[in-house]
Structures are given as C-alpha cells and as structure tokens.
Amino acid sequence: MKSVKYAPAILIGRAVRVLARWRKPGGGSAIPGVVVNRIAPRFLADTLNGFPLGLVIVTGSSGKSTTTKMLVAVLRAHGLTVFTNQSTANISQGLTSALLERVSLTGYIAGDVAVLEMDEGHGAFIAGSLTPRVVALTNVMVDQIDRFHDSEMVAGLLAKIAARATETVVLNADDRYLADLAHTLGSSVRVSRYGVTADVLAQYPRGLGYADTATARLPSGMGLQLTGMAGRTAEVEFPSSGRHGVTLPARGIHYAVDALTALGAAEATLGESFDPAVACAALSAMPAVFGRGEVVTVGGKIIEFVLVQNPSSFQLNVNSLEAGTEQIIVIIGSDVRDPSYFWPVDTSGLGHVLIASGLKAHDIALQLAYDNVRVDRIEPDVPTALDAFLALPDPASGVKTIIFSADGMRRTRAHLGLVSNAEESV
Amino acid sequence: MTATSIERPFTVVSLLPHLLDTNGDAGNARVLAQRARWAGRAAQVVDVSTRADLPEHVDAVSIGSGTDAALLPARDALRTLVEELRIWSNSGVPILAVGTGWELLSWGIDLADGAVIEGLGLVAGHAVPRVSRATDDIIVSSKYGRLIGFENHARDYVGAEASPLGRVVYGTGNGDAPASGPQIEGLTMGEVFCTHLHGPVLARNPGLADYLLEAAFRRSGLSYSRGAMATSVDDTAQTVRNQVAVRLGQSAE
Ligand SMILES: [Zn+2]
C-alpha cells in the first residue's frame, strides 16, 4: 500500500490545510480531510490498514475514550509508536486530516500500530473498508441518546464493527449483549474475554450499569479478571502470569473495567511481546483524568471533581464516594435536558449535599429530597454557589467534592480559571 | 381504622422496575413512599418482577416505561399478574402507569412494522405509531392542577377521549391536536392513572401524588395530610414547574 499513487491527493490535502489555517488560525482541521476523501477515497482505509501491527478499534457505549488512552499508554510503554485519534462526529474526515499531518508523500506513516476510538454509529464507515486486527468492546449502556433507541440496536451496531475483526475480538463477559455477540463471530476469530469476579461484583449492589448484566461470571483462568477493587487500586489476574496491582487514574469500578479492556486489547495486539508488569506499570503511571475524580488544589483548598455523564456513571460515582464525605456540591446544567434522566439513579448514598447548583438546581434538589439526601441550599448561579462552597473551612472528613454534569464542569472550570488536561469527548 | 393498618408499613408496589425504568418512572414509587413517610407513616417500596415478590398488602402501584425491546417480556410478565391488577383496579388501589407501562395495560400496541402486541385489556384504547417521536416538555391542565412534565414516546394513544387525565396546553400528549375537540393527555379509570409524563411526574406534580395518597390512605380508613417536609419540597417542585412554564410562554403559578 505504500505507493506514490496518493501523492497528488496528499499534496492537495496539505495545501488545503495551509489555506484553512490562514482563514482561521488553529481551525478548519476537517476541511483537508473532506478534500482528500473526495479525490482519493481509498487513502484513509489503505493507510489505516497498512500499519505493521495493524489497526485496533475500541468501541462500546461508554468508557471507550478512557480505554483508548489506556491502551495507547500500554502500547507505548512496550516501545511502540502509536497513531491514535479522538472520536469526532465525522470520523472519516477527522482521521484523514490527522493522517495528513503524519504521512509522507509515498503514503508511509512512521508508526507501528493504529488505535482508533469509534462510536457505535461508525460501523457503516468501517464496513467494507477497514480490516482491524483487534476490536475491543467495552459495554452496552443506555445513555441520554440511546434511551431513545434501544439496547438491541446498540448491540447490533457493535456486532457490525466486531464482525470486521480479522484476528481477535476483546469483549466484556459481564455484559450480556456482548457475551451473546461472541456467538455470532466467525470461527477464525479469537474471542478474548474479561470480567469481574463475583466478589468484586458483590461490592456493587446496584451493578455495573450495563443494559443487561450476564448471569454468570467469567470462570478463573478463562480470561482477564478483576479480582480486587478498593479506592483507586485494582487487582487484575492474568491467566498466564497471576495477579498484578494497578493504580487507576481515578476512583471507580468503571475505570478498573476500562483498564481490563485496555489490557486485553494490548495483549491481543502484542501477542508474545506483551508484558503484564510493563502494562500495569504504564497504567499506574497515567495522570489523573480531569473531571472524573481528579483532585486539584484551588486557592489552597483541596477539591475532588466528579463528572457524571449519564445515569450509570452517576450511580457508580455515588457508590464509590469515600464514606464520610461531608462537603458536597452538585452542579447540574443545561446539558441535562430532561429532568427524568437521572431519576433511575439512587442518590441516597450522598447523604448530605451542601448546595445544589446549575440551571437544573431545583430539579436535582427535588430528586435528592426524595432520596432522603439533606440539601442545605439551592443556588442556581454557579459562581455564587462555588464561592460559597470554597469559602467553607476545610472539612473534618473527606475532601470538598464537586459533582457536576458536563455543563457544570465547564462553568466550574471557567469560574476557577482551570485549564483541563484532557478535553474528554466521552 | 384497625391497629394493623397503622402498624404495617404503607406499601407501594413497583412493577417490573428492571424492565420498565428507562425514563426513571420507577421513581414514582419512591415518591409515594417518601410522601407517606413525611405524613408520619412507615412506608416501603416493594419491587415486583414475579408473583413470588408480591407483598401481602398493597396500598399503591407504580408501573414505569421501558424500551420497545422490553415490550414483549414486560407484557408476558404483567400477564402473570393480571388477576392482581384487575383486583387492585376494581378495589380502588391507586395505580400509576407511565408510557409503555400504560400501553401494556391497554387493548394493545400497534407497532410501526405492522405487528400488534396484545395488551392486558385493563383500560380502554390502544397505542398507534406516530410519524415522529414526541420528545419535549409537556403542560397539561387537569383537575389535579397544572401538570408539567417531559414526554418521550413514539406512539399516540387513541380511545381515551371519554376519560382523559387532562387537556394539553403545550406538547403532544395522546396525539397531535385533532381537527375538532380538545387535545388531550392521559387516561383515568377509577383510581387508575395513565400518562405520558415520565420520570418524576409525581415529584414535580405533588397535587397528583397527594390525590393518589389520599385515595390509598382512605382505603385503610386513614386520612392523609401533607407532611411539613413535603411542604418545603413542594416549593422546590413549584419552582421547577414555573421555570418550565415561563420558558414555554405560560404564566407562573
Ligand atoms: Zn451512545
């Protein structure tokens, strides 16, 4: 595939990129992709399929962004050069533009492997063009958008992507939809399963948030297992090399499961070269993820940020909140269009919330009241609420904890003058 | 009033919360239980998936809304409870059914592909496909006060014209405005209340919640009066309703 046949398209794409930046500094990044995809429609697929260690795709309802970052960190720790993306609405144009930055005129990209994060809906894009060596599936959850469709449909979309795998499909055995999906794959494709043990699952009485949890756990030795979970520390059992500890980038069972997905995908990608100790060390060295349990210091006060993106992450974050946390503010913004959205969440574990804030302050306060959570104050104005919250003396137990929706996070960040270290696209 | 009716907790059955809680409607069971507690009575929510889960006494019943994939399993599970549902509805136990939970109590559901899912036949009417999904705030004027909620449904409901829950002020409700006659929302039959207003309809509209609680308490020979905590929480609900109303060009209350 490394031929000069794409040279004209690449040159034109680069020229368009320069023009786009003249017009709008720092912007216009998808435009070159549009142009190249029009004049050389096979460029993208040929380039992505052509990496020496192939293409790895990470997809699923939630956790794919974190999983992709974890997988990239593990592969890099093994000495690989990795091409990767952030999922965008128009994946084809975004990827082409990103590749143009890196590609030589002969179509060659310095790199060992490509790792792509994809949405469920991107199946049509890869069908018939991409041939991933490995496809890693995180879960089927019902989110703000998906609940207007249904889980079967999401599972069907994931099955289409998984069907493109040439070598291995890595999947979550605790997710019933994904466990069932394994039976639809061709016999030449290896299925690598991961899951939590019954003991770990028992720590989460309300489950892990999947649309449907498989009735049975993965038997020991049949795949990667999460055997222990406490705070930010997870214990993972590899069938081949026993148990290893991992420090997660934030507290929460979902991060541990993301780590399992990433480790499974890394093992499938690297084969014999995969080293569990190197992999776990790489995961433990990852920086904390902003807005999902990151601890920051603002004006000498220690604050923990907890981002709730959907009912599942809200529930998991409530469940994994440190016991005795006495200073909590909840900021729910205009991004939560429908107040019923969070009602499947049992928020009673919060116990006592000092301030409910954001455009939906009264809506969330109403839910908290019915969950027996004491709410001291409702203050829709976010800056006013934050100032009052931060002015309080340090708590005797736990850290100041801010639970926010994405809109609440943006407003908080703006008011506190914080720059994020990762613009999460979910 | 008997001693036992005070001693045993006020019991709200939440039917099939595993299948029918996509829009948080199972939360209506906890709203009823919590308001009963605030009124000074011990209360519990019992999740019922099979007959084996049924408690001895039932004071109120909540049925939520699920995805279309859950329609058949939910209908089949509800069929095993049809006798209880009939007894409850005939004996004045308040039942709140939302969205697909309501549709399953009807004569049946016409699906977009032409298939029909037979309902339990407990309430008149049936559900028919809409051209496009109705997803927006909804305001309904009813004898339980102005009801404000959120609707999210892919089907209309026909056959509730004789006993609607209320008249649509903003939104879609049972269907788009007809050529003649009022645009209506929901259905009532005795103490059975059916609505498209999903999620915390009872939390946001405590007038309706208290109507159900009064009916339920009365069956035990007790009278319900709103607790002090409920008064303050209802102020929050009023603020929420006014925010929506004003945003949609209606007056605040
Ligand atoms: Zn989705």
Side-chain angles (χ1 to χ4, degrees):
Chain A
M1 74 114 213
K2 281 152 197 98
S3 72
V4 292
K5 71 177 172 180
Y6 292 125
I10 292 165
L11 280 171
I12 291 169
R14 284 187 177 159
V16 172
R17 195 176 75 213
V18 171
L19 290 173
R21 288 195 178 151
W22 277 347
R23 283 181 50 124
K24 185 182 169 206
S29 67
I31 313 288
V34 177
V35 173
V36 171
N37 286 341
R38 186 148 312 152
I39 57 182
R42 294 283 314 166
F43 163 76
L44 179 58
D46 283 356
T47 309
L48 289 174
N49 291 331
F51 285 90
L53 283 178
L55 168 65
V56 182
I57 289 175
V58 179
T59 187
S61 293
S62 109
K64 50 190 175 281
S65 181
T66 306
T67 302
T68 302
K69 289 188 181 78
M70 287 174 160
L71 173 58
V72 168
V74 170
L75 295 176
R76 286 182 177 152
H78 282 80
L80 299 190
T81 305
V82 183
F83 173 82
T84 187
N85 73 322
Q86 276 205 327
S87 184
T88 52
N90 199 322
I91 190 168
S92 160
Q93 290 159 17
L95 278 173
T96 305
S97 295
L99 283 170
L100 281 171
E101 310 250 343
R102 308 261 296 265
V103 72
S104 76
L105 279 186
T106 58
Y108 177 75
I109 291 185
D112 301 305
V113 64
V115 176
L116 301 187
E117 172 194 342
M118 280 194 189
D119 287 342
E120 309 94 295
H122 289 151
F125 157 64
I126 72 160
S129 67
L130 295 190
T131 48
R133 250 185 85 211
V134 178
V135 172
L137 303 171
T138 60
N139 51 55
V140 177
M141 289 191 182
V142 178
D143 65 19
Q144 173 90 0
I145 298 155
D146 294 330
R147 70 203 183 91
F148 297 130
H149 311 298
D150 44 60
S151 315
E152 271 78 8
M153 195 190 76
V154 176
L157 293 170
L158 295 180
K160 269 193 196 119
I161 299 177
R164 300 293 303 171
T166 58
E167 205 174 297
T168 310
V169 172
V170 180
L171 60 82
N172 187 340
D174 294 322
D175 185 307
R176 205 262 298 164
Y177 284 105
L178 298 184
D180 288 355
L181 187 153
H183 308 300
T184 68
L185 298 168
S187 56
S188 61
V189 174
R190 188 174 77 94
V191 177
S192 164
R193 294 176 174 81
Y194 61 88
V196 308
T197 61
D199 285 348
V200 169
L201 187 63
Q203 286 175 238
Y204 303 88
R206 292 184 205 87
L208 304 183
Y210 308 139
D212 198 349
T213 301
T215 44
R217 306 280 66 77
L218 196 62
S220 176
M222 297 299 287
L224 274 175
Q225 275 187 311
L226 184 70
T227 48
M229 184 64 205
R232 277 179 65 185
T233 308
E235 187 188 62
V236 180
E237 185 177 291
F238 293 82
S240 51
S241 65
R243 296 185 178 187
H244 293 256
V246 174
T247 304
L248 302 168
R251 205 168 37 228
I253 178 76
H254 41 312
Y255 289 104
V257 176
D258 292 345
L260 281 187
T261 318
L263 289 168
E267 190 176 33
T269 307
L270 291 159
E272 297 278 280
S273 319
F274 178 77
D275 182 335
V278 169
C280 290
L283 288 179
S284 302
M286 287 181 73
V289 184
F290 185 91
R292 301 194 193 178
E294 191 202 10
V295 175
V296 297
T297 307
V298 177
K301 309 268 187 187
I302 299 170
I303 312 167
E304 178 160 4
F305 290 130
V306 178
L307 176 62
V308 292
Q309 306 254 50
N310 50 48
S312 306
S313 75
F314 200 159
Q315 189 69 68
L316 292 167
N317 278 305
V318 168
N319 299 353
S320 56
L321 201 72
E322 201 123 291
T325 301
E326 63 179 49
Q327 287 190 9
I328 300 173
I329 180 172
V330 181
I331 308 173
I332 304 297
S334 56
D335 51 329
V336 179
R337 169 80 181 87
D338 166 12
S340 7
Y341 185 43
F342 283 138
W343 271 76
V345 180
D346 177 356
T347 60
S348 59
L350 296 179
H352 180 194
V353 165
L354 300 189
I355 307 176
S357 185
L359 199 70
K360 301 285 182 176
H362 288 86
D363 286 291
I364 192 66
L366 198 55
Q367 172 170 5
L368 292 167
Y370 280 105
D371 280 344
N372 253 344
V373 177
R374 200 173 108 210
V375 179
D376 291 354
R377 178 176 171 188
I378 303 173
E379 174 50 70
D381 185 64
V382 174
T384 307
L386 283 172
D387 289 347
F389 183 70
L390 293 176
L392 294 168
D394 287 333
S397 77
V399 294
K400 285 180 185 285
T401 299
I402 303 182
I403 299 175
F404 41 38
S405 68
D407 176 67
M409 177 174 80
R410 276 189 294 275
R411 287 169 195 275
T412 300
R413 205 156 66 188
H415 183 64
L416 300 180
L418 291 169
V419 183
S420 77
N421 59 8
E423 284 287 352
E424 294 292 310
S425 61
V426 182
Chain B
M1 187 187 329
T2 61
T4 49
S5 68
I6 299 170
E7 277 160 22
R8 70 174 177 81
F10 182 77
T11 301
V12 185
V13 159
S14 176
L15 281 181
L16 314 183
H18 174 69
L19 291 171
L20 301 177
D21 192 21
T22 309
N23 294 314
D25 312 308
N28 289 310
R30 68 189 199 266
V31 170
L32 289 173
Q34 188 70 308
R35 293 183 77 81
R37 277 182 216 112
W38 289 339
R41 196 164 164 197
Q44 62 175 353
V45 173
V46 177
D47 290 349
V48 171
S49 298
T50 70
R51 298 180 58 86
D53 303 326
L54 282 169
E56 199 182 333
H57 295 278
V58 175
D59 292 296
V61 178
S62 152
I63 312 172
S65 197
T67 63
D68 276 7
L71 280 174
L72 271 176
R75 194 276 312 271
D76 293 344
L78 286 175
R79 266 190 179 161
T80 68
L81 297 159
V82 71
E83 200 180 316
E84 281 75 17
L85 281 162
R86 201 162 277 139
I87 291 168
W88 294 329
S89 64
N90 289 338
S91 60
V93 173
I95 299 176
L96 176 73
V98 181
T100 56
W102 164 21
E103 293 177 348
L104 290 169
L105 299 188
S106 77
W107 296 334
I109 302 166
D110 296 359
L111 298 175
D113 64 5
V116 177
I117 293 179
E118 198 188 327
L120 272 67
L122 290 172
V123 298
H126 65 126
V128 297
R130 281 181 61 74
V131 175
S132 65
R133 183 174 276 273
T135 301
D136 201 354
D137 298 289
I138 175 169
I139 303 180
V140 176
S141 130
S142 83
K143 69 179 204 187
Y144 316 96
R146 180 168 75 176
L147 308 176
I148 296 190
F150 201 90
E151 61 181 327
N152 170 24
H153 50 102
R155 284 178 291 274
D156 287 337
Y157 195 92
V158 293
E161 291 72 17
S163 53
L165 173 62
R167 188 175 52 79
V168 175
V169 175
Y170 177 93
T172 303
N174 292 0
D176 300 317
S180 66
Q183 185 182 0
I184 57 167
E185 156 56 21
L187 174 159
T188 63
M189 183 192 81
E191 307 305 340
V192 181
F193 286 76
C194 301
T195 182
H196 291 103
L197 273 65
H198 66 58
V201 57
L202 295 184
R204 287 179 124 199
N205 303 282
L208 181 57
D210 283 352
Y211 179 88
L212 299 177
L213 285 165
E214 280 158 20
F217 273 52
R218 208 164 40 234
R219 288 188 71 252
S220 305
L222 298 168
S223 67
Y224 168 86
S225 68
R226 187 171 74 151
M229 180 66 187
T231 308
S232 119
V233 172
D234 292 352
D235 285 345
T236 304
Q238 180 70 70
T239 305
V240 165
R241 289 203 306 282
N242 284 342
Q243 284 169 347
V244 178
V246 168
R247 175 158 47 79
L248 300 177
Q250 307 288 320
S251 59
E253 278 182 336

